[in-house]
């Protein structure tokens, strides 16, 4: 046999083997679920379309991994045979265990994402949702309520319903529906109130993904309302300094005795607004008045603290205004303006220190700030005084020059007259 014939025979064998291998792979990848539902329309076709972006599909999982059945069979009766474990729509009570079949298996999950927690199912049953589900309430949220059923994306994907920018909307699908929530004895306005909050503004307007949303305070898989004793710890995760000051303040024991939720009592919960100086003191918007009537020690302390804040704020504004005026006039006051930052820092520190509720500590911070603000104001005064002096000197010089020019003019006239 010639070399040419050997080459032709080898090529034919390779072609047959290759086509056989390709056919075997095609059979292995055959998924009658996808083939059938892709040819349908409406809701029955939606799962196939959604699965295009699903994290499970990207990792090689198929419909049968959740729904059971035999996707290698073309006959629907065979592919969707209940004897082969087929389940069209898992009941809400079955969903946590269905997802947990993989997500609670540490060894299995290591193949895909070793960093992913494997206690979500167990944690879920510590939540209000999980406890009510076990008690028979199938209207509560399960895994698919938040993550979706088909088209599930990683939590850090911008289009995931549990991405920070979407968490509140996801929770609101149930919790903002007054009709759906009827009977649970909880309000349905949390989402609307949250959208007005300083937290929502930071999250949505500044795109600050570290700003708190629902799961940051309530938890996610183990979601529960924060109790009175835990609210301060929840807020203290971000507001560490304020929390530390409050824990050492005289209000701590009083709040514990009255069973008041510490931060929430003054700042609110879902509709936390930006704090202002008006919250302290004895004005109409003060949060001190419900507990401290006129004349008691707390009332007087609040009044004094507000006076200190106002004094520093006024002096700071006054210094800033005169320095800005001097700068616009062309005077060099950059150093004085820079040093004014110390007064601003003192004011910021004082506003945080309010949570210690100590007039003495507040005075210790305000006093140096006042001194800096006063120095800045005096620097502005000196700059304007120097500007005034320069202007007077310039006016005198100009008059002298004009006088000399006039004398020169007279001299020229005299010389011309002599001719």
């Amino acid at each position: 046999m010639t070399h040419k014939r050997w080459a032709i025979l080898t090529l034919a064998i390779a072609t047959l083997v290759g086509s056989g291998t390709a056919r075997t792979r095609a059979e292995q990848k055959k998924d009658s679920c996808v083939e059938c539902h892709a040819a349908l329309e409406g809701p029955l076709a939606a799962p196939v379309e959604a699965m295009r972006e699903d994290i499970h599909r990207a990792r090689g999982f198929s419909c049968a991994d959740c729904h059971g059945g035999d996707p290698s069979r073309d006959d629907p009766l065979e592919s969707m045979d209940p004897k082969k474990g087929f389940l069209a729509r898992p009941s809400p009570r079955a969903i946590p265990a269905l997802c947990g079949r993989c997500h609670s298996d540490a060894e299995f999950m290591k193949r895909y994402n070793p960093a992913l927690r494997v206690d979500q199912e167990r944690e879920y049953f510590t939540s209000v949702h999980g406890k009510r589900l076990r008690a028979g309430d199938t209207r509560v949220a399960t895994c698919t309520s938040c993550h979706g059923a088909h088209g599930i994306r990683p939590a850090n994907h911008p289009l995931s319903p549990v991405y920070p920018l979407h968490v509140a909307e996801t929770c609101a699908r149930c919790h903002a529906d007054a009709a759906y929530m009827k009977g649970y004895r909880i309000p349905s306005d949390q989402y609307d109130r949250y959208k007005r909050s300083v937290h929502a503004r930071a999250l949505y307007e500044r795109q600050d993904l570290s700003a708190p949303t629902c799961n940051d305070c309530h938890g996610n898989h183990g979601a529960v309302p924060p109790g009175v004793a835990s609210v301060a710890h929840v807020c203290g995760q971000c507001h560490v300094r304020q929390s530390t000051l409050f824990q050492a303040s005289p209000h701590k024991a009083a709040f514990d005795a009255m069973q008041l939720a510490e931060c929430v009592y003054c700042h609110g919960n879902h509709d936390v607004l930006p704090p202002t100086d008006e919250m302290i003191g004895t004005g109409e918007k003060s949060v001190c008045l419900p507990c401290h009537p006129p004349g008691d020690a707390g009332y007087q302390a609040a009044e004094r603290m507000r006076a200190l804040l106002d004094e520093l704020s006024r002096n700071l504004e006054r210094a800033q205004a005169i320095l800005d005026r001097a700068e616009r006039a062309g005077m060099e006051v950059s150093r004085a303006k820079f040093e004014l930052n110390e007064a601003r820092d003192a004011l910021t520190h004082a506003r945080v220190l309010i949570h210690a509720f100590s007039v003495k500590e507040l005075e210790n911070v305000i006093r140096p700030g006042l001194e800096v603000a006063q120095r800045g104001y005096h620097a502005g005064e000196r700059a304007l005084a120097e500007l005034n002096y320069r202007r007077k000197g310039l006016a005198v010089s100009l008059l002298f020059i004009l006088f000399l020019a006039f004398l020169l003019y007279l001299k020229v006239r005299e010389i011309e007259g002599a001719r």
Side-chain angles (χ1 to χ4, degrees), residues 159-273:
L159 295 180
S160 168
V162 294
Y163 188 68
L165 289 172
H166 307 308
V167 167
E169 287 80 2
T170 298
C171 297
R173 287 205 297 259
C174 294
H175 284 274
D177 187 334
Y180 193 84
M181 297 305 295
K182 187 177 181 180
Y184 287 107
R185 296 181 180 178
I186 58 175
S188 56
D189 63 346
Q190 301 99 320
Y191 178 56
D192 288 334
R193 290 167 56 199
Y194 172 75
K195 287 192 296 184
R196 299 194 296 266
S197 73
V198 65
H199 297 141
R201 188 178 304 172
L203 181 63
Y204 298 127
E205 294 181 12
R206 300 204 301 269
Q207 300 288 294
D208 182 357
L209 300 184
S210 67
T213 185
C214 309
N215 62 324
D216 291 291
C217 300
H218 292 274
N220 38 32
H221 299 99
V224 293
V228 169
S230 64
V231 166
H233 299 296
V234 171
C235 299
Q237 292 180 89
C238 298
H239 303 284
V240 179
R241 176 63 174 156
Q242 290 90 333
S243 177
T244 302
L245 289 168
F246 185 90
Q247 297 303 312
S249 77
H251 281 80
K252 170 62 177 172
F255 272 56
D256 288 347
M258 292 186 289
Q259 286 291 293
L260 297 178
E262 298 169 1
C263 312
V264 170
Y265 188 76
C266 297
H267 292 277
N269 48 15
H270 297 99
D271 52 355
V272 178
L273 298 178

Side-chain angles (χ1 to χ4, degrees), residues 105-136:
D105 187 335
E107 290 300 319
F108 181 80
M109 293 305 296
K110 283 179 182 177
R111 306 179 200 173
Y112 301 97
N113 186 353
L116 198 64
R117 290 172 52 188
V118 292
D119 63 344
Q120 296 104 319
E121 181 188 1
R122 183 178 62 187
E123 187 182 19
Y124 171 76
F125 284 109
T126 69
S127 72
V128 172
H129 300 135
K131 290 177 180 178
R132 294 191 70 94
L133 184 68
R134 272 188 170 162

Side-chain angles (χ1 to χ4, degrees), residues 1-19:
M1 188 179 290
T2 64
H3 292 292
K4 185 175 181 180
R5 288 179 178 177
W6 272 112
I8 294 173
L9 180 60
T10 301
L11 180 61
I13 292 172
T15 302
L16 289 172
V17 171
S19 62

Side-chain angles (χ1 to χ4, degrees), residues 73-95:
R73 314 296 294 181
D74 288 320
D75 186 344
L77 294 177
E78 294 179 352
S79 62
M80 297 187 292
D81 189 350
K83 294 179 181 179
K84 295 182 180 180
F86 177 75
L87 184 62
R89 185 186 295 272
S91 69
R93 297 189 70 173
I95 287 174

